[in-house]
Amino acid sequence: RKFAVTSSTDGNAIGDVVYFGSTTSMVAGKIYYYTSSGTWALADADAESTASGLLGVALGTASNSHGVLLRGMVTLANDAGNRGSTVFLSTTAGAGQASAPTGNGDIVRVIGYCLNDTQGQIYFNPDGTFVEVTA
């Protein structure tokens, strides 16, 4: 498979996309986790329950029709760092960030690598491991 860098449009993606979860009112380009009730909710590094499981990026407002990217090239709804840098799950719900969270109880989880400094384009490939900060 060949992947190209995505456009600057939030939620533009190419890669592994799933169509399940029956979740609406999603925001394209935001990062979600798959919940125990079978729906998608915003991921947040402030809590293990929202940061340690299956992560994906919303490609539109509805998971079943627009899809959720599990791995591949995608444009996030926020800028996530400098070109080539590691991207971590953020303590801002649904976002990625360039630095690891440092607050007590925060979850440090690599979610990919930044491809553009200003347009939110990343290679999304969430690591299955995470670390909880004890400060």
Side-chain angles (χ1 to χ4, degrees):
R1 294 175 28 164
K2 295 180 181 181
F3 294 152
V5 175
T6 53
S7 75
S8 60
T9 303
D10 295 350
N12 182 248
I14 185 167
D16 299 330
V17 178
V18 297
Y19 297 87
F20 60 77
S22 300
T23 305
T24 57
S25 299
M26 298 177 88
V27 177
K30 294 276 188 175
I31 302 166
Y32 289 78
Y33 75 99
Y34 192 57
T35 71
S36 60
S37 62
T39 60
W40 296 92
L42 287 171
D44 188 333
D46 283 323
E48 181 182 343
S49 62
T50 71
S52 61
L54 178 64
L55 297 179
V57 178
L59 304 183
T61 58
S63 62
N64 286 19
S65 57
H66 299 121
V68 177
L69 178 91
L70 299 183
R71 181 182 60 184
M73 306 297 222
V74 68
T75 303
L76 295 181
N78 72 291
D79 293 332
N82 296 318
R83 194 173 300 210
S85 68
T86 303
V87 178
F88 298 88
L89 186 61
S90 179
T91 54
T92 300
Q97 64 186 39
S99 58
T102 58
N104 191 46
D106 286 350
I107 301 301
V108 177
R109 184 168 178 190
V110 174
I111 60 165
Y113 301 91
C114 184
L115 303 175
N116 187 295
D117 296 43
T118 60
Q119 296 180 352
Q121 297 155 319
I122 71 166
Y123 172 60
F124 186 75
N125 186 21
D127 195 313
T129 59
F130 63 92
V131 174
E132 184 173 346
V133 176
T134 304

